[in-house]
Structure formats: structure tokens, C-alpha cells
Amino acid sequence: MNILLKEISKKFGSQIILKDLTLEIKAGEFHVLLGPSGEGKTTILKIIAGLISPDKGQVIFNNIVMNKIPPQKRKIGFLFQDFALFPHLNVYENIAFPLKTRGIRKTKIKKLVDKYLTLFKLNKHKYKYPHQLSGGEKQKVALARALIFSPKVLLLDEPLSHLDAWQRDELRKELKQIQTSTKITTIYVTHDQSDAIELADKISIIHKGRIEQTGKIEEIFYHPKSKFIASFIGIKNIFKGKVLKYNHKNIVKIYEKCLTKELNLIINTYNSFEKGQKVYLCIHPENVLIEKQAKDENCFRGHIRELINQGPIICAILDINGLKVYSFITKEKQNELKLEKNRSIWVYLPKEHLIIYNHTIDI
Amino acid sequence: MFHVFVKKNKNFFELILYTISILFFLFIFTVLFSLFISTSFIEFLNQLNSPLVIYSIFISLETSLIVVIITLIIGLPVSYILALSNLKFKKLLDTLLDLPIIIPPLVSGLALLVLLSANGLLGKLLYDWNIKIIFTKKGIIIAQLFVASPFFIKMVKEGISKIPKDILDASSTLGASPSYTFFYIIIPMARKELISGIIMTWARALGEFGATAMVAGCIPQKTSTMTITIYTQAMSGDLSSSIALALILITLSSLIILIIKSKFS
């Protein structure tokens, strides 16, 4: 089912939660709404489900305006952050609930519930009450309950946030598997990038009640459209600078207080920036390269401040003229270049990996 | 300073606390126990054969049970609205609900008397339709309802308010209409408060005196509930029947409190 949110606005008291938000989710898509807490992600889900009415704008399912349709008639499966299992009903009764509300015959209910109990490996917990289940089991019950009536859309509100790391991995895989096999249009709200990377067909970044960027994972992570997105998705190297034109080249002069010596970086000429334009310059740590010898462009002498072991990779904190630059390297590379603390190195910042945004903050 | 004193003299301080507590409980126990030792078991059984006592027991049970039923019918919707609606003047309604609990029952009774008497705002209208409330069983029910039903509503409202919003939202997204959610989610989840509310309302109605006396009077074997009979008989010097009825009320109250504490706390 296609979902279109058209110019949705919502206020709670005087606080603006959503402002003219427009978002389209295609049928069968696994769409992740990614953003920090308190940015209106859950409100978006509740508006789609009909649990909250927007102050302005339209909720459209397959070209039909749904604003006046109550939640119980929208055919939406909703997985709540804290599971929202009915504490007075056992596992079987919880899963059967949406079928009972639809007046389905007892024999059919039993058949369907048994099928879902098997599918989610919940048979041995059939007669247990929610307080007798672990977090992962509760989540499975909630998921089975949300899917058993074959909803047209599945909405998931940070469903893995209360689980242990191993349970998260397992349930992430199950979720992806279920979505792939059922092709149900799914909207997943999270503040966790790893959920987004593993699950999403498309990601929308929410910031201050608006969609800041929508795109595939690579677009968001390698071409973030704003400084906010860059810092939210974990790009640690973000520097303030000013564009200088020099011999038909665009050069960005870095303006950071910590610099002991001038630092200029060449950026791609297709970046149409005016001379004097204030910018943010970002680069992913994995794109910052440590070299034995100097390259012709954007290669600077520096030293290693620290090497932090992060499992399969090493985070090298480098120093270029007092500027702190993060680089991810492999153990092989560390051994090959004999990298150690305080060692002098060449740091290469390839211009094709430099991401640049306008900004208006005074330098 | 006080803190240091308490620390240094902890044992002495605790001794004072324990002594005051023991004296207090002794006071309550003595008051109640004095009734039990003031009569013999045979005298108690004899009194239970008295037509006045029997009538009082029956009319009290009858009216208080009717009050419970009416409270259930009225109280459930009111509790739901107070707990879940977005009414702007909800706080005002909540305060209004506190009044019958806080103001003295005699004052409640007086207000009802003024409203329902032949010249009263509503009484006039009812008299035209030949409905008499004052000095009748209906009067007892209305007086008890006014005083006792807020206990139920406040308890059930608390019970409903405690249900997480996500549970109610989940019910709607799973296809339940508001009425289905009310009967299959809200009532079962607020059942502790619902049962406690019923018991409290019943106990309050059963023990009601002030408002009932004002509205229904103290007419023997017509409007004489257990509490009214206790009062009228004691005032006329016949303590035996008063004590018998008082013992029944104390036993019932104790049982009610025990049930509430053991099952629902």
C-alpha cells in the first residue's frame, strides 16, 4: 500500500512537533524514519495509524484520504516500543485479540493463532502471561499479534530498544525476513543507525519536525545533505571553513581555533561555491587515508595522537597542525605502516570524499 | 540539631514512637471491643429476632445493594470520561466529585432535603408527577447514592488512568472499537479498583446515617436503616438492639476491609 503524508503539521500545546511534513512511502518498501529522540518520529507513526489527528495536512493510503477513518478501520499493524501486550490475557489470547475484534469464528482463530505460535516459536509459551515472558518473547508476541490479521501496513516504533544486543540481532533478522517474504509496507522508527543500515530500503532523516533527507542508505551515509545529518550519522570529521578561489580551483581554508598553522583543502570544482562562502567540510573516517608518501593534493604532514582498538578496525586519532582528524584503519594497514602513537605520517583527504555544506555561523 | 539528637538517642526515640503507636491502637481496639463485651451471645441472638432489627437489616441491605447497582451503571461511564477524555473542565468535575466525600453527610442531607422537598426545585416537579422522595425508601437510596457513589467513581477513575495509553492505542489498531476496548481491556485491567470501589461504595452506603436521616427521616420500620435504628434506639434508652446492629456493622466492615486488603492490595 502506498502511503503519502501531505503537508502534515502537528502541535502539542505551544510546541510544534511536525511542520508541513511531506513523505511518500511506496508499496512494499521498508522505510526507516531515523532521528534523535523527541523529533516527532512516533507522532508520525501515530498520525498514520489514526491515533493522533494532524492539525493540518492529509494522510493518504492508495490515493484515499484517511484523515477521518478511525484506527480500528485502517488495517494497520502497530508494534509499540514497550510491546503494549494486554497483561490480563495470555500469549494465545493476545495473539487472537485482533481476530476476535473482527468476529472471526473460534475454529479459524485457533488454526491461525497456532500457525503464528509455530512461526514465531512461541508454542511453549502459549499459556504464559506477559509478565512471565522475556523481552524478546514479548516482542515476538507483539509482532505476531500485529501481523496475524494481515494488515496492509506495519508500523514499528523503536521495537528493539528494550532488548539485549543478541536479541536485537536475532529480531532484526526476523523482521527483515518477514518483511521480505510478506512484502508488507513497513515504517520503522529508530534513533539507531545500525537498525537503519540493516533493515531499510529507504531512510528518512527527521529533524525539528521535518524530513531533512530521504534516500537510500548510501545516499544518506555518503551524501548527507546537511551538517546535522552528517553529525547524526556519525561523521566525526566536521570542520568549519571558508571558500577561496585560487587558480580556477576551489579551496577551502579551514577555520578552527585549534589550528596552529594554516590548512587549505582543495575541493571538487563542480561544487559551485562563491568566494568567501562559509562552509562545513566533512569527511567519513574511513575515507581519511594514512600514507607513507605525500600525494599531490590534500596530503598533510601530521602525527598519530592515539590508536583505539575497536574490534575489527582501529580508530586512529590524527593531528594535522593541531586539528583532530579521525581515521579508521585495518590491523593489516597498522602493521604494514608500523603505525604507533606519536609517529609522523602523511594524512590524505581525497577531494572526491569531501562533503561540503553552506553555513551562516560566524567564523 | 534534632537529627543529631535522634541519632544519639535512637533507642529512646523509638521507644516513644512505639509507646504512642501502642496507645493509639489500644484506644481503637478498646472502643470496638467494649461493644462486644457489653452484651451476651444469647442477648445478641434475641435481638436478631426483633422485628425492628430484622427490618433495619433488610432495608439497609436492600437500599445499599440498589445503590451499588445504580453506582455501577452511572459510575462506569463517569469514571471513563474523567480518566480518558480531554474535557477542559475535568479538574473542576473532579473537585465537584470530592465534595460529597468531604462535606459532612448532614449537610449533604440538608441540600437533598431542600432540593427534593415539596417546595424544592426538583421536589415540586416530582410531586406533580406524584413521586415522593422525602421520608421514603427512595429518599434513603438517593441519600446513600449521593454520599457513596463518589468513592466508586474516584477508585475506578484511578484504575483506568493507570492503564498505559499504548495499551489502549494497541487495542484500537488491532481492530477494537471504543466499546470493545472498554469491556475487554479497560474493565478487566481496572478490575481491582472496580471491585474495591464496589465494596467501598456498599460499605459506605450501609453505614450512611446523616444524609439518610435528613432525607428519609427516622420512621421505624419504614425508613429505619441499621444506623438510624442504632441512633433512635440508643436515644430512647434501648441499647440492646443498638449494640446488636452495631456488632453486625462492625463485623461486616471488618470482613470488607480484610477482603480488600488480602485480595486487592
Side-chain angles (χ1 to χ4, degrees), chain A residues 270-331:
Chain A
Y270 57 74
N271 288 307
S272 54
F273 289 100
E274 292 296 312
K275 189 178 175 185
Q277 170 69 53
K278 287 177 256 175
V279 291
Y280 278 116
L281 203 137
C282 314
I283 184 163
H284 276 280
E286 58 266 38
N287 293 328
V288 175
L289 306 174
I290 299 173
E291 301 290 346
K292 266 185 193 169
Q293 288 168 343
K295 301 252 175 184
D296 54 347
E297 277 181 350
N298 290 349
C299 203
F300 307 95
R301 199 71 185 150
H303 69 270
I304 296 171
R305 277 198 202 175
E306 213 173 326
L307 290 168
I308 303 163
N309 203 332
Q310 292 185 340
I313 59 152
I314 291 161
C315 174
I317 302 172
L318 313 174
D319 188 309
I320 310 170
N321 303 344
L323 187 72
K324 199 175 179 184
V325 179
Y326 291 84
S327 170
F328 291 154
I329 53 167
T330 58
K331 284 206 171 146

Side-chain angles (χ1 to χ4, degrees), chain B residues 226-257:
Chain B
M226 285 163 84
T227 47
I228 285 173
T229 307
I230 290 172
Y231 176 73
T232 51
Q233 293 304 100
M235 288 303 108
S236 65
D238 176 15
L239 276 180
S240 312
S241 49
S242 295
I243 290 170
L245 285 169
L247 289 178
I248 293 171
L249 278 178
I250 291 173
T251 314
L252 273 176
S253 304
S254 310
L255 280 174
I256 286 165
I257 290 166

Side-chain angles (χ1 to χ4, degrees), chain B residues 42-75:
Chain B
I42 293 163
E43 178 59 26
F44 175 71
L45 289 180
N46 281 339
Q47 284 302 324
L48 286 186
N49 285 327
S50 135
L52 181 64
V53 171
I54 291 171
Y55 182 84
S56 300
I57 293 171
F58 274 98
I59 196 172
S60 286
L61 289 177
E62 183 191 355
T63 53
S64 60
L65 287 174
I66 291 171
V67 165
V68 167
I69 292 165
I70 298 172
T71 300
L72 265 174
I73 295 165
I74 299 169

Side-chain angles (χ1 to χ4, degrees), chain B residues 90-135:
Chain B
K90 222 159 77 170
K91 269 195 175 172
L92 187 78
L93 292 178
D94 207 42
T95 311
L96 197 64
L97 196 66
D98 286 330
L99 288 178
I101 297 171
I102 293 166
I103 57 174
L106 267 176
V107 178
S108 301
L110 183 67
L112 285 168
L113 186 66
V114 169
L115 178 75
L116 298 169
S117 65
N119 296 320
L121 206 65
L122 193 60
K124 230 183 224 174
L125 198 71
L126 293 172
Y127 267 75
D128 289 345
W129 293 340
N130 209 20
I131 301 171
K132 284 177 188 162
I133 306 282
I134 303 300
F135 304 131

Side-chain angles (χ1 to χ4, degrees), chain A residues 72 76 82 85 88 101-102, chain B residues 166-167 172-174 184 188-189:
Chain A
Q72 65 267 25
I76 281 177
D82 56 358
L85 295 179
H88 60 294
T101 61
R102 286 167 172 78
Chain B
D166 278 355
I167 292 270
S172 325
T173 60
L174 294 168
Y184 292 92
M189 282 187 72

Side-chain angles (χ1 to χ4, degrees), chain B residues 210-226:
Chain B
T212 311
M214 289 296 276
V215 178
C218 307
I219 309 164
Q221 300 202 43
K222 192 180 175 202
T223 61
S224 55
T225 58
M226 285 163 84

